[in-house]
Amino acid sequence: MTNRFSLVPTVAGSLAFAAGIAAAQPTVPYLPNEDGILPQPHVALVNTHVVNVVDGTVLEDAVVVVRDGLIESVGTDAPAAGVHILDLGGRHLMPGLFDGHWHGRTLEGLYRALESGVTTMKSAAVGSFLDVRMNDMVDKGHLAGPEIFAAGVYVLPNLGQSALADPRLYKYLHNEVKGVEAVREVVQVDVDRGARWIKTRSGGTTSGPDGPDPKMLVYSVEELTAIVEEADALGVKVACHAHGREVVRNAIVAGCATIEHGSYVDEEGLQLMLEMGTAWVPTYTSVVGFLLPHDDYNSSASFQRGSHLLHYLQKGFRRALELGVTILTATDTQYGPSTNVRVYREMTHFVEMGMTPLQALQSATIRSAEVYGIRDRTGAIEVGLEADLVSVDGNPVEDIYATHEPMFVMSNGRIVFHRTVDPDHYIPRRVGVTGFGTGGPRP
């Protein structure tokens, strides 16, 4: 039999604990309002060292003031009275990272990307336009980010289940998307539904045992050119999945803005990239994942090809670096619960293959912002740009491994989390998400 009086100390203790938690919360607003909108507080980030990714210099003992989602000031003066203060504990502050090839379709995956420091990403196509909807939520303030260059439906010969995404695509459940008119139509549907970038392919795949061979041409130069022309007319660019030498060259000649993967790119292809201004998104770290036990692409085909692909990617990467080809970071992942791949790992591999830490950091920040056409909005820590910010232990320009464990993330001026040993300023991860942001478990 339970003694009713035994509950009194428990209740009193719970109230005291709750009061202690309330007192320990930071004064800076970070929780959503009644409409589920996350605030963009007027906050000064103090006790930090700001990394300039343009030239690699560091502003010591800096103060960065953020207001209405934008960087209001960067300097060393004390913040004005009335501004909320967040102490970053003497850590370095760098711009948020870009993931240029994301296959996510869940909010959980999106949060994992954010937690790794990614504040901007380019989708690699999602059949039901979930990437478009997620970016819409970010735009409206229901999610802290990342900003998403949604691609919608993958433009490829066999749409399969993606034909369910829009009634105009139903006919492609049984018919191939082949020919100039068909590829143009899918591009039109994508942009009409909110796509900001188009994803297509010129060749087959390396990871799937049942897909077309990676060196096989699946679209002609004429079809690829039609995709690029239609996208250009609608104000968007095209990313092209390509592996084999010939299919890479065809994608470049057709005018694709980025080559995704490019595993077997040769000297001619790299020279063409320079001539055409094409950026390379090698997704190197995802291929490293081919050989790991927990990976998004576990298959006998990916395991068999893994070492071979890495060998040619390394050769191509080093030559591209010599030539000055623009190389961008990406993961080619969905950020699943067992996914090993992260942008900071991609940067680390870039350094191992010859980049300086600054060059690798630039690939993940300002270079990506330039290629994606938003350098005037983000990609660096500068007055007037969006507050996409990541705080790390150590100077990433000296040690790229410093990027591997973000301590503070802000996206679009919204606080994602702030890790600190000081409980008075601890802001948990998954801010404002049911079951998270309250000290609850993380998956």
Side-chain angles (χ1 to χ4, degrees), residues 406-424:
M407 298 296 292
F408 166 85
V409 175
M410 173 178 276
S411 180
N412 301 300
R414 296 184 165 92
I415 297 171
V416 178
F417 68 86
H418 180 203
R419 298 169 59 195
T420 172
V421 296
D422 177 5
D424 289 340

Side-chain angles (χ1 to χ4, degrees), residues 10-256:
T10 303
V11 172
S14 298
L15 291 173
F17 177 77
I21 289 295
Q25 293 303 303
T27 57
V28 56
Y30 66 90
L31 291 173
N33 64 19
E34 62 276 8
D35 295 320
I37 306 297
L38 293 165
Q40 294 173 308
H42 189 193
V43 60
L45 308 177
V46 304
N47 191 16
T48 188
H49 312 300
V50 173
V51 178
N52 184 336
V53 293
V54 176
D55 59 14
T57 59
V58 175
L59 179 63
E60 304 286 344
D61 301 317
V63 175
V64 178
V65 179
V66 174
R67 187 171 198 164
D68 297 327
L70 302 178
I71 298 171
E72 185 175 61
S73 66
V74 181
T76 56
D77 294 338
V83 179
H84 297 291
I85 305 296
L86 270 186
D87 188 333
L88 296 187
R91 298 180 175 91
H92 284 70
L93 191 67
M94 65 183 194
L97 305 176
F98 280 66
D99 184 341
H101 194 108
W102 168 68
H103 278 291
R105 58 188 68 234
T106 68
L107 290 176
E108 288 298 318
L110 200 68
Y111 291 124
R112 291 187 187 98
L114 268 176
E115 291 168 358
S116 71
V118 171
T119 57
T120 311
M121 48 180 32
K122 176 164 63 68
S123 169
V126 178
S128 54
F129 295 104
L130 283 173
D131 51 355
V132 174
R133 298 282 69 79
M134 289 182 190
N135 187 64
D136 191 43
M137 292 187 79
V138 173
D139 280 346
K140 289 178 168 55
H142 296 282
L143 289 173
E147 177 180 354
I148 302 168
F149 280 82
V153 170
Y154 194 171
V155 184
L156 74 171
N158 299 293
L159 289 190
Q161 185 155 313
S162 291
L164 298 171
D166 188 280
R168 290 166 289 182
L169 302 178
Y170 290 173
K171 61 186 174 184
Y172 295 116
L173 178 62
H174 301 298
N175 299 319
E176 284 194 324
V177 181
K178 295 287 287 183
V180 168
E181 295 307 315
V183 297
R184 285 183 182 273
E185 182 178 27
V186 179
V187 171
Q188 291 164 6
V189 171
D190 272 334
V191 177
D192 181 60
R193 292 292 299 271
R196 303 170 63 193
W197 204 277
I198 296 298
K199 166 78 179 300
T200 190
R201 65 165 45 175
S202 58
T205 179
T206 59
S207 59
D210 301 321
D213 188 276
K215 297 181 180 179
M216 185 183 80
L217 185 68
V218 299
Y219 275 138
S220 67
V221 173
E222 181 185 19
E223 289 167 316
L224 292 170
T225 301
I227 292 169
V228 171
E229 289 178 347
E230 191 64 33
D232 184 64
L234 296 171
V236 299
K237 295 182 179 180
V238 177
C240 188
H241 164 115
H243 286 284
R245 292 173 298 179
E246 293 80 5
V247 296
V248 166
R249 291 199 291 268
N250 285 352
I252 299 168
V253 169
C256 296

